[in-house]
Amino acid sequence: MQLKLFNSMSRQEEPVFADKDETLRFYCCGPTVYAPAHIGNFRTFLLQDLFRRVIEATGLQTCHVRNVTDVDDKTIRGANENGESLSDFTAYWRAKFEADASELNCLPPHHAPSAVAHIPEQIALTEKLISKGLAYVADDHSVYYRISAFPDYGKLAGLNMEEMRPNADQRLNTSDEYDKESLNDFALWKAWKPEDGDFKWESPWGPGRPGWHLECSTMSMIYLGESFDLHSGGVDLKFPHHENEIAQSEGATGKPFVRHWFHINHLRVENQKMSKSLGNLYTLAEIKEWGFTPSELRYVLLSGHYRQPLNFSRESLTAAHSALQRIQKAAQNLGAESLSKSGSTTSIQSTRYSGVLQALCEDLNTPNALGKLHTALGNLEKEIKSNTLSEEDKPAEIAALESVCALLGVWPENKDNDASATVPDKILQLAEERLAAKTAKDWQKADALRDQIAAQGWQVKDSKHGYDLEKEKG
Ligand code: AMP
Ligand code: ZN
């Protein structure tokens, strides 16, 4: 089997293949480490993780690079506001990100380079672009990319640069970077400003710091070579970030930068954009406070097709909980207390779950894959019930179940070890009914349900996301 994936550059589904040594080389734009990553960020990182699991299940090896953006406007502002060094500030948020990613079962990338650690190479790339006439030094000692000198600019986003050329009035009104030759030119090197505080690096153009787009071009080419197989990020990165990376890398090397572009659409909450101002920006820590497990969140984030926006709701976590319970019950019926997390996916094609891999190979169709998983579980349940499975078949069935869990990266958690995950199904069900009653303004029913929940030793409290459940003490 081979994965076919939509390529945002060619705008069609294409087989994903490795250029060299059967190792697929791919780069994912990593987190900006200045605050906790939200569950939308993790939709993107989880899809990239799933992509890697599918590629490995089809027999290729991978070289997965995901950078850490530890120098940009947000990290510098955060460190200055906290009175900390940039490295202490970003190390804290990087560790938090890595802990969340690990709980969500993201395989650690083979390389996770820091932008700060590669400043000399970023300066070298900028010098190369200046020497080729593709960049210029402005009066304030910043360096800009000269878009008009790169005819292919706009090919990923499908832009017509002639139409985009601003008129003189627009230029005066909208550009606060007066030193640029053209409004669309973007910074490769940003000259130091007083608000940057102590955070600056020396360069041939004076003190300053690299631009974000330059960081990714540089690190991807250091770890994967001038041309590599695939590049990925959330859909918001397609323009200008990835367009600018292409201009920088292809401008400097004269070679094709990346063959396949993989963009993941956004997570939304109650059909609205996730944002701080709307108060609907959630983190893994909050989802765990609600009583759900990282695996349940992972299941939800995989449940929609990556090319469509996905709407997040609390109900979807409850549904994920039931789905994972179904896997747990199947494992127990086969005689396994819990499932091993080190299952191998290489022989999944010879199991009852081969349809799951098949669906994933068709443009990572996760809704279809989860449908196939449930059909296979249904058949397994029937066979268990009718005693058609022999004792000798059971170890292979357990291994098959472990392999499909390893492919998707979801496992039922062992509830005894996880205090946050002990809300019983019936309590969740009552809390959902109470929420529905409140939404329908049926206060009497809502109060009665709250009393019913209390009678079973749980307290339900209203919160911005619906409700919280707490076990009564004692
Ligand atoms: P950042 O830490 O802001 O650089 O973002 C890390 C990754 O998360 C990038 O690939 C973004 O495109 C992606 N991202 C940001 N917001 C969302 C969202 N709401 N849904 C899915 N991915 C997102
Ligand atoms: Zn990037």
Side-chain angles (χ1 to χ4, degrees), residues 27 29 212 216 241-242 245:
Y27 183 90
C29 291
W212 170 44
C216 279
H241 184 53
H242 289 157
E245 281 192 51

Side-chain angles (χ1 to χ4, degrees), residues 228-339:
F228 56 94
D229 299 312
L230 182 139
H231 199 311
S232 175
V235 72
D236 55 310
L237 300 193
K238 193 163 154 186
F239 185 83
H241 184 53
H242 289 157
E243 194 70 57
N244 291 352
E245 281 192 51
I246 294 172
Q248 295 163 154
S249 299
E250 298 194 353
T253 68
K255 296 179 190 160
F257 177 41
V258 169
R259 188 176 50 244
H260 212 120
W261 288 89
F262 168 35
H263 289 109
I264 295 111
N265 213 315
H266 274 183
L267 182 72
R268 295 167 65 84
V269 175
E270 272 116 35
N271 284 317
Q272 286 181 307
K273 187 179 175 343
M274 261 202 320
S275 75
K276 275 201 182 117
S277 54
L278 289 172
N280 64 2
L281 196 155
Y282 300 125
T283 62
L284 174 62
E286 283 164 309
I287 304 297
K288 290 198 314 190
E289 275 168 26
W290 300 357
F292 293 99
T293 65
S295 212
E296 285 160 356
L297 176 61
R298 180 173 172 118
Y299 189 98
V300 169
L301 294 176
L302 295 183
S303 64
H305 193 271
Y306 77 90
R307 281 174 61 200
Q308 305 296 328
L310 175 67
N311 190 40
F312 175 77
S313 68
R314 192 179 179 119
E315 292 76 56
S316 55
L317 282 164
T318 312
H321 174 77
S322 308
L324 293 182
Q325 288 292 101
R326 192 178 189 185
I327 297 179
Q328 175 74 9
K329 283 200 184 102
Q332 280 167 353
N333 287 334
L334 289 167
E337 251 326 290
S338 60
L339 292 172

Side-chain angles (χ1 to χ4, degrees), residues 431-445:
E432 287 295 328
E433 282 174 30
R434 177 177 168 273
L435 185 62
K438 278 179 54 117
T439 313
K441 299 199 174 12
D442 187 346
W443 312 118
Q444 224 179 341
K445 184 171 176 194

